[in-house]
Amino acid sequence: MSSNLNQMNWVSRSLSAVWHPCTQMKQHESLPLIAITKGKGAWLYDDQGRVILDGISSWWTNLFGHANPRINQAICEQLEKIEHVMLAGFTHPPVVQLSEKLSALTQGNLGHAFYASDGASAVEIALKMSHHYWRHQNKPAKKKFVCLHNGYHGETLGALAVTDVAIFREAYGSLLQEVLTAPSPDARLAQDGETAEDVAKRAATDLETILSKEHQNIAAIIVEPLIQCAGQMAMYSPAYLRQLRVLCDRYEIHLIADEIAVGCGRTGKFFACEHAGIWPDFLTLSKGISGGYLPLSICLTTDTIYRAFYQDQTKHGFLHSHSYTGNPLACAAALACLEIFETDNVLEKNIERSKDLANAFAWAKIDPRIEHWRQQGMILAFDVRTGYLKNPNTFPREMFSASLQEGVLIRPIGNTIYVMPPYVLSTNETIELGQAVQRALEQVLA
Ligand SMILES: *Cc1c(COP(=O)(O)O)cnc(C)c1O
């Protein structure tokens, strides 16, 4: 087979055999599917010899570039020892070390790590554990969950129930548990000269109205600390998280911090909750924790929760499992990432990288067609004023395609353009990213 024929094949073979995620497959009649055959650093290489700068860390997972030699080596070394063993009745060094490290990163506040594979499963674990904890306290009525408008927590049925993004929920509404939805503290909702902190206070006051009425039936509230990522990168003041902690304590409700997207340094600190100086009762991690290498998710929790399950009867334990719980290769990748954070002073260096990012996208700050320019650490976003969009429905796809033509991968959400690059971009690569997005936007809006 000629290599050209082979190349053509990946896309057509994929379209006939692979059902791609989060995709209306019919759109691939006009939107080209891209076959990636190689990655290196922040760059993806396709089967046509094109190179693409990964501006969104491959769906927010990648931290230290593709084919990172140190993470590759850690996985290879672990592969020589043990690829997988069940975690019930057995343990292994990588899962022990990782759990200890995460506990230390929370200063022991969240000293117990329960493992799963995907982010949504970690959310399911937090929801189930919370309700089960209240049963242990003889409060079985505490079974409702509060979530925020515009929040996203994954797409399995439990996680989707606490998700408030219409397009993901619509078709499945009748399958989902009822939840209470509180206002989002999204700073873009400021009215009449309100600051981000004012919006946060207003949202917290509205939340308290719900909690004061319903707290006897509420197990937990789940939030994405600081940034509702899938909700168009809605950023909010850490004041909201501080108030949330107070309210959860006042009304005996668990706080679940879903840091699946915002954890692992994205916001400038390792955990986004650290910006508010609070710890939740449950903290979920996935995406970046394995450096974007392997499916790994974790629900961290407190001694108090753990001890409530520590009893004589089997059924009083937390009888939840996934086959690949705590996979050693995934844990080895995560340990390699945590080591890179330490040895390379990543959080400190990211301060410079986030300044680079701000400079590279300074053009958008002064463009009259753009509003709500915002940045938190390694995430930068802005909204194109809807009046300038020819067709709001097709804008994300057009922008995605135009950016690819310019050699960068971005994936706008609605009228929000954002970048969330891996922590390996050089200053020049960051400038390249900013310029390519600018050129693509000019084309799409022209
Ligand atoms: C991506 C995401 C999830 C779901 O993780 P999956 O691995 O896709 O199941 C949950 N919560 C947040 C905040 C996310 O961004």
Side-chain angles (χ1 to χ4, degrees):
M1 210 186 311
S2 85
S3 78
N4 195 40
L5 192 61
N6 197 13
Q7 284 162 6
M8 299 292 289
N9 274 346
W10 291 124
V11 168
S12 59
R13 283 162 61 188
S14 191
L15 288 174
S16 57
V18 181
W19 196 339
H20 291 267
C22 202
T23 297
Q24 170 48 267
M25 292 300 292
K26 190 162 194 291
Q27 284 167 4
H28 278 308
E29 287 176 8
S30 55
L31 188 75
L33 181 69
I34 296 140
I36 297 298
T37 49
K38 205 177 96 173
K40 188 72 201 152
W43 299 88
L44 297 167
Y45 298 75
D46 82 353
D47 62 349
Q48 312 287 306
R50 268 195 306 185
V51 284
I52 303 164
L53 184 58
D54 187 349
I56 56 167
S57 300
S58 289
W59 254 353
W60 320 343
T61 59
N62 192 286
L63 296 188
F64 301 118
H66 299 278
N68 181 294
R70 287 155 79 180
I71 306 172
N72 285 7
Q73 192 191 338
I75 294 173
C76 290
E77 281 172 12
Q78 182 56 43
L79 193 53
E80 294 297 327
K81 294 172 188 156
I82 176 83
E83 76 301 326
H84 184 65
V85 63
M86 59 195 282
L87 201 62
F90 293 89
T91 193
H92 52 78
V95 80
V96 174
Q97 290 168 300
L98 181 57
S99 308
E100 287 173 352
K101 286 231 154 126
L102 291 170
S103 171
L105 283 169
T106 67
Q107 286 104 54
N109 284 285
L110 299 164
H112 302 273
F114 197 99
Y115 287 80
S117 314
D118 290 290
S121 318
V123 169
E124 302 280 341
I125 288 162
L127 299 175
K128 283 177 68 179
M129 237 183 218
S130 170
H131 170 62
H132 198 161
Y133 171 88
W134 294 118
R135 285 176 61 93
H136 284 318
Q137 309 304 305
N138 291 317
K139 290 176 180 164
K142 286 172 89 65
K143 61 183 186 185
K144 284 193 188 170
F145 297 103
V146 182
C147 58
L148 299 186
H149 278 300
N150 195 39
Y152 178 90
H153 301 286
E155 312 207 20
T156 53
L157 293 179
L160 192 58
V162 291
T163 287
D164 183 50
V165 178
I167 195 156
F168 300 133
R169 270 185 73 104
E170 253 163 22
Y172 316 104
S174 61
L175 303 180
L176 304 175
Q177 180 198 3
E178 262 183 56
V179 295
L180 299 161
T181 310
S184 166
D186 181 354
R188 293 175 302 174
L189 301 172
Q191 306 162 353
D192 314 324
E194 277 182 319
T195 63
E197 203 165 329
D198 295 334
V199 181
K201 282 188 185 142
R202 180 157 53 82
T205 305
D206 291 345
L207 172 65
E208 181 158 21
T209 308
I210 297 173
L211 301 189
S212 63
K213 233 186 289 172
E214 287 267 0
H215 63 97
Q216 278 155 338
N217 303 317
I218 297 172
I221 174 165
I222 182 164
V223 302
E224 297 155 273
L226 288 196
I227 310 169
Q228 295 183 303
C229 292
Q232 298 192 301
M233 298 294 155
M235 300 189 183
Y236 62 87
S237 161
Y240 185 77
L241 297 173
R242 283 191 288 272
Q243 199 53 32
L244 199 52
R245 186 65 272 179
V246 171
L247 292 176
C248 286
D249 291 341
R250 183 177 300 159
Y251 291 102
E252 271 209 308
I253 290 166
H254 290 143
L255 173 53
I256 304 172
D258 179 352
E259 298 225 5
I260 289 168
V262 296
C264 304
R266 284 288 173 199
T267 66
K269 298 197 186 282
F270 191 84
F271 297 110
C273 280
E274 292 177 86
H275 290 278
I278 60 136
W279 292 111
D281 302 289
F282 300 93
L283 190 150
T284 54
L285 287 175
S286 188
K287 293 202 167 103
I289 190 64
S290 67
Y293 265 71
L294 288 158
L296 178 70
S297 69
I298 308 165
C299 177
L300 297 175
T301 192
T302 62
D303 263 344
T304 308
I305 306 281
Y306 176 77
R307 271 191 267 110
F309 290 80
Y310 198 85
Q311 301 189 27
D312 291 326
Q313 288 201 50
T314 305
K315 68 173 183 183
H316 290 154
F318 189 61
L319 305 184
H320 179 111
S321 61
H322 297 283
S323 310
Y324 284 99
T325 292
N327 174 261
L329 297 173
C331 290
L335 280 168
C337 289
L338 294 183
E339 196 178 301
I340 294 172
F341 270 103
E342 271 174 43
T343 55
D344 293 11
N345 292 320
V346 171
L347 294 178
E348 209 171 296
K349 287 200 185 128
N350 278 0
I351 297 172
E352 290 309 311
R353 288 199 183 95
S354 64
K355 284 182 195 156
D356 281 351
L357 214 50
N359 290 334
F361 285 88
W363 58 268
K365 226 176 200 168
I366 52 170
D367 189 321
R369 298 167 299 180
I370 285 167
E371 62 182 343
H372 301 308
W373 192 101
R374 54 199 182 273
Q375 184 183 19
Q376 176 72 56
M378 292 301 288
I379 303 177
L380 186 147
F382 50 84
D383 301 347
V384 181
R385 290 176 195 270
T386 44
Y388 289 95
L389 301 180
K390 274 174 265 170
N391 181 347
N393 290 325
T394 55
F395 173 74
R397 264 177 281 148
E398 287 166 19
M399 192 62 203
F400 169 80
S401 297
S403 303
L404 274 178
Q405 296 295 324
E406 298 295 337
V408 303
L409 163 60
I410 61 161
R411 212 166 180 272
I413 309 172
N415 62 328
T416 299
I417 294 176
Y418 74 90
V419 287
M420 195 193 286
Y423 314 155
V424 296
L425 259 58
S426 65
T427 302
N428 281 337
E429 285 170 330
T430 310
I431 293 169
E432 209 173 319
L433 177 63
Q435 289 175 345
V437 172
Q438 185 179 21
R439 287 194 301 268
L441 185 64
E442 286 307 334
Q443 272 173 46
V444 171
L445 297 186

